[in-house]
């Protein structure tokens, strides 16, 4: 059987070692006689998992003590609604940096519910860069600045945190734990776990406690209030227990591999390998300006849509899956998150070289 390598943007690859551990523990967790899929969320077994998960996350990201960790049983996209509902009233407004499709969708959702505006956008440049932020454009009564440091669909990356006198909210779904981070530069961070943390179906929130207290708590449906989840310690509703267990295994794997700083160096090597080849090629191209290129979502194109379709089909025959670009933008996308080994990236590179030669293009 040909080895299958998942280059998909999410649900993304999980390390083989983690999958093997899950397999071993699936039927009888900790000699309890129960599957990890069955244990009660208020049992001592699960509380041990949950406690260790939070302790390890704080260690890996050096999360300050005044930050709350929430694990929410919902897609990250729900935060597009929850954020304006929690932090905007009838007077205040949210400022959005539109650097790609996901930040644009977040803005559109916020504008349905409250007052939200574009502070800066690179859409006119097809999101080939991250827009410059001019503090003079910040409007009165702005309650927060919203940004997406890594745009999964467009393959761009924020290289510098804006210096603004506002609380900063960040969607880090595709970049959290892939590079060093100063959590205290942000007031609210959220991330869907299906890229680097666990299997799909769980959202992680890191929030400054003082910022959460600004939530319009009494005006919201109970489940949609962040204060509800803080007060219930993420157990207001039954959490996705299996996802939390997988998250713990992933964080243990990350720590064993040197932590965030070590995988960041590894991610840089993987990304450079692909971008250097693409830039030297007369067959492949990358629209994103070099300064702003994502290190975990390498987006590139071929001379025609037909060639891109053929590329994806032939790649799958070689065991390279998930390379089709997002339906909104097309092209090719190789997601090379923490779990992706360098050897797999080299296999993709070999295929890219072979495919170009097959189509009569000298490299």
């Amino acid at each position: 059987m040909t080895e299958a390598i998942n280059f998909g943007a999410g649900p993304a690859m999980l390390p083989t070692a983690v999958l093997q551990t899950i397999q071993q523990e699936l039927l009888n967790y900790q000699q309890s006689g129960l599957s990890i899929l069955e244990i009660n969320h208020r049992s001592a077994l699960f509380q041990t998992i949950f406690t260790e998960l939070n302790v390890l996350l704080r260690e890996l990201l050096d999360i300050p003590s005044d930050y709350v960790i929430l694990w929410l049983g919902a897609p990250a996209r729900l935060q597009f609604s929850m954020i304006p509902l929690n932090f905007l009233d009838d007077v205040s407004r949210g400022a959005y940096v539109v650097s790609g499709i996901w930040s644009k969708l977040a803005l559109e959702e916020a504008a349905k519910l409250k007052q939200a505006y574009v502070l800066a956008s690179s859409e006119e440049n097809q999101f080939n860069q991250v827009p410059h932020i001019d503090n003079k454009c910040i409007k009165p009564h702005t309650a927060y600045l919203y940004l997406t440091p890594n745009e999964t669909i467009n393959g761009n990356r924020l290289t510098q945190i804006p210096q603004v006198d506002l609380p900063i909210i960040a969607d880090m779904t595709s970049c959290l734990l892939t590079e060093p981070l100063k959590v205290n530069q942000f007031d609210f961070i959220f991330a869907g776990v299906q890229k680097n943390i666990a299997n799909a179906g769980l959202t992680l929130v890191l929030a400054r406690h003082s910022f959460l207290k600004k939530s319009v708590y009494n005006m919201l449906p109970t489940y949609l209030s962040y204060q509800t989840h803080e007060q219930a310690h993420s157990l207001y509703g039954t959490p996705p227990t299996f996802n939390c267990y997988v998250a713990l295994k992933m964080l243990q794997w990350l720590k064993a591999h040197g932590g965030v700083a070590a995988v960041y160096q590894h991610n840089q090597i993987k990304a450079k390998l692909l971008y250097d080849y693409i830039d030297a090629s007369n067959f492949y191209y990358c629209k994103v300006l070099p300064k702003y290129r994502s290190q975990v979502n390498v987006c590139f194109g071929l001379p025609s849509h037909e060639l891109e379709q053929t590329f994806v089909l032939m790649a799958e025959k070689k065991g390279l899956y998930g390379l089709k670009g997002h339906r909104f933008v097309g092209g090719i996308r190789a997601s090379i998150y923490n779990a992706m080994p360098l050897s797999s990236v080299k296999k993709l590179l070999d295929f890219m070289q072979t495919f170009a030669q097959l189509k009569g293009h000298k490299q």
Side-chain angles (χ1 to χ4, degrees), residues 263-295:
V263 296
Y264 174 56
Q265 292 180 353
H266 193 233
N267 290 338
Q268 287 182 305
I269 292 170
K270 293 183 294 184
K272 186 176 188 302
L273 192 67
L274 288 177
Y275 285 127
D276 282 354
Y277 172 70
I278 291 168
D279 288 341
S281 168
N282 61 1
F283 185 61
Y284 302 100
Y285 66 91
C286 178
K287 293 180 180 179
V288 182
L289 300 180
K291 178 181 177 180
Y292 301 102
R293 289 175 178 174
S294 170
Q295 294 187 90

Side-chain angles (χ1 to χ4, degrees), residues 8 10 12 32 37 40 68 70 89 166 168 211 218 245 254 262 267 278 281-282 293 300 303 312 321 339 353:
S32 66
L37 296 170
N40 187 281
V68 176
L70 302 177
D89 56 24
L166 288 172
I168 298 179
F211 183 66
N218 294 324
Y245 160 79
L254 178 59
N267 290 338
I278 291 168
S281 168
N282 61 1
R293 289 175 178 174
F300 59 96
V312 170
Y321 290 88
Q353 293 171 334

